[in-house]
Each structure stands twice: as C-alpha cells, then as structure tokens.
Amino acid sequence: FFPGDAAMPQEAAPGSYVLGVIPPQCMDRMFVGGSLMHPASIDALFDVPCLKLIASKVIGYTMFAASAAVKVPQIARFVSSGSVSGISSAYVHLELTSTIFSCCYNTLMGYPISTWGEMLNICVQNGVILVIYYHFTGGLGLKAALGVGFHVATAYCLLHDMLPDMQLPHVACEPVLASLPSACDVLPGRQLMAVMPTLIVLGSRVPQIALNFAQGHTGQLSVATSALFFLGNIARLFTTLTEVNDPVLLAGVLVGLLLNGTLVFQLVVFRAATARYTQEGRDGRSKKNKAP
C-alpha cells in the first residue's frame, strides 16, 4: 500500500521509543549519536519508512487521548434530552461487545497501544451509555444488572483466552477465509475473537442505519460523535497499515469506515427532519411539565 514498506523498521519495545514515538532504529538512521540536536543529514531526516512510523505513533497516541471524550457529546445529548429515542437496543449492546472483543484481542496479541488504545476509552464510554440506556428505558434494576454482568463476564472469558474454536462450513473456507493461517474447517478461538468485532459492527450499525432510513431522522445520534468516529476510521486505516500486519484487523477498519461513513451521510441528509423531531419532543415534554 505504501512505497518502501519492505524497509519499515521493526517494532521496538514501548519503553525504548524516544519521546514515545521515535523507535531506536530510526534514531540511529536520522540522528548522530542518538541526539535530537544532531541530525545525520537532510536525507536521513526524511527517511520515509521512519517518518511513516513516527507519524503513525503520533496519530495513534493523539487518537488515544482524543478518544477519552469522543462519546461525551452523545452522552451529554442523552442526559440533556432525558431520552435515548432513536437508539436501538442492539446498537447499544453490540457497540459495547465489539469494543470488548477488540480490546481483549489486541491485548492478547500484544499489539502497540498506539494502534488500538482508543478502543479502551470507547469501551468505557460505551459502558456508561449502556447504563444511561437502561436508566431511561426501564430503570437500573435486575435487567440492567444482568446486562452489565453479561459484558463483564464476556471480558473475563476473552482475556483468559476461553473462546472455543469454531467449526466452519466447508463452503466458507477457501473463498472467504483463505488469508487466515488456520485449518480450512476450523477457526481458532483467537482468530474468531479478531473476526467478531467486524461482525458485531455490522450487527450494530446496520440496524441503526435501517432504523434511520425507516423513521426518516437520526433521533438522538450525535453529529460530533459520528463524525469523530468516521475521521478516526480514516486515521486508524493509516496506523493499521503502517504498524500491524493483520488482514483481519484491516478488514474491520474498512468495514467500520464504510458504516460510519453511512451514518454521517444520514446525519447530513436527515438533518432537517431530525431538527423537527427534536423540537417536537421538547415541545411535548414542555407541555407535559406545564400540565396541572
């Protein structure tokens, strides 16, 4: 995908990176004696493989930091409106499940935090959204406890590598999963863990996209949150191609890019209808509050 990938520096231990983003191999190439004040040459400073890796690290850590607030606009909108209307139950649960699978897989594989760290922050925020959803749709009772408990148990099982191997139908083997280093008829548990986030994203986004088209508006979906996810997918595509040689993760990023792009498209196309729907909801609550 990028010229010069064959010369890409190998991943170093996190603690050996200078300023957290420059690997030791690149320090040796770009600077004399490992000093930032003594560049080796102009050509060395513009070493393409090193610049790509440094850019990927900077983007990754920036996403990690920025993601701490990526769903705050969505959470704030739920709280301020006192409603989670327009949000499907499947969307809420599958969003959280997807990020749990992603975090656990990347943790077990030992991938650099710069390539997936935002998933950790988003996972926590998805947990908050789940609690808010239960609060506005039936209260924090037994149903909420069971829902939260299910996700906690899922994370425990995944982090302990307890996901079993999956028997595949023969027709799915070669044409669909030829890139996976597994037997044709069996998908190992850890590879299944890698595939699941993509399948879950499809399961969460597609119902939400279908709901938006059916109702003609996007309900309480936040423009800011959806746009940040779309831009994050674009950035994550670059970091995945640069730092991780994993076709399953790459496929997941591409699927997320397509689906989040569709949600952004709906937010733009249905913005007028959504504004009318939101105003009608506010007017209805206002009349209810004024009623004796």
Side-chain angles (χ1 to χ4, degrees), residues 59 63 70 118-119 122 225-240 253 256-257 260:
I59 291 171
M63 290 178 64
V70 70
E118 77 281 359
M119 282 295 116
I122 294 171
T225 295
S226 298
L228 286 173
F229 267 110
F230 180 63
L231 294 175
N233 282 136
I234 295 174
R236 186 51 70 207
L237 177 63
F238 173 76
T239 63
T240 301
V253 172
L257 182 64
N260 285 321

Side-chain angles (χ1 to χ4, degrees), residues 168-176:
L168 297 173
H170 184 74
V171 68
C173 296
E174 296 299 335
V176 178

Side-chain angles (χ1 to χ4, degrees), residues 109-187:
M109 294 299 292
Y111 289 145
I113 192 71
S114 60
T115 64
W116 65 275
E118 77 281 359
M119 282 295 116
L120 184 59
N121 286 332
I122 294 171
C123 185
V124 173
Q125 292 167 74
N126 281 337
V128 173
I129 288 176
L130 177 66
V131 173
I132 291 175
Y133 182 85
Y134 277 124
H135 175 67
F136 287 127
T137 59
L140 301 176
L142 178 60
K143 184 178 179 180
L146 290 174
V148 173
F150 168 78
H151 290 292
V152 172
T154 297
Y156 177 86
C157 292
L158 293 179
L159 285 174
H160 286 79
D161 225 354
M162 296 168 63
L163 195 65
D165 297 345
M166 179 180 179
Q167 188 73 34
L168 297 173
H170 184 74
V171 68
C173 296
E174 296 299 335
V176 178
L177 300 170
S179 64
L180 296 178
S182 63
C184 184
D185 59 342
V186 176
L187 185 64

Side-chain angles (χ1 to χ4, degrees), residues 136-284:
F136 287 127
T137 59
L140 301 176
L142 178 60
K143 184 178 179 180
L146 290 174
V148 173
F150 168 78
H151 290 292
V152 172
T154 297
Y156 177 86
C157 292
L158 293 179
L159 285 174
H160 286 79
D161 225 354
M162 296 168 63
L163 195 65
D165 297 345
M166 179 180 179
Q167 188 73 34
L168 297 173
H170 184 74
V171 68
C173 296
E174 296 299 335
V176 178
L177 300 170
S179 64
L180 296 178
S182 63
C184 184
D185 59 342
V186 176
L187 185 64
R190 192 169 291 189
Q191 291 182 10
L192 177 60
M193 197 186 306
V195 172
M196 284 302 293
T198 301
L199 299 179
I200 291 171
V201 166
L202 284 169
S204 65
R205 291 292 196 277
V206 170
Q208 186 65 55
I209 290 171
L211 178 64
N212 293 342
F213 278 124
Q215 62 190 8
H217 62 78
T218 56
Q220 300 301 327
L221 276 181
S222 166
V223 176
T225 295
S226 298
L228 286 173
F229 267 110
F230 180 63
L231 294 175
N233 282 136
I234 295 174
R236 186 51 70 207
L237 177 63
F238 173 76
T239 63
T240 301
L241 287 167
T242 302
E243 298 190 59
V244 178
N245 182 21
D246 192 323
V248 179
L249 286 183
L250 178 59
V253 172
L254 291 173
V255 170
L257 182 64
L258 174 63
L259 296 177
N260 285 321
T262 302
L263 284 176
V264 170
F265 171 77
Q266 290 181 321
L267 285 163
V268 172
V269 172
F270 295 143
R271 62 186 183 280
T274 300
R276 288 195 297 271
Y277 168 82
T278 302
Q279 187 59 48
E280 288 172 359
R282 289 173 180 168
D283 292 344

Side-chain angles (χ1 to χ4, degrees), residues 78 81 83-88 215 217-221 277 285:
F78 288 152
S81 66
S83 168
V84 290
S85 62
I87 305 298
S88 67
Q215 62 190 8
H217 62 78
T218 56
Q220 300 301 327
L221 276 181
Y277 168 82
R285 286 192 297 273

Side-chain angles (χ1 to χ4, degrees), residues 29-31 36 38-48 50-51:
R29 290 189 194 181
M30 302 170 73
F31 302 96
L36 294 174
H38 297 90
S41 67
I42 295 297
D43 290 340
L45 285 177
F46 288 93
D47 183 90
V48 174
C50 281
L51 288 179

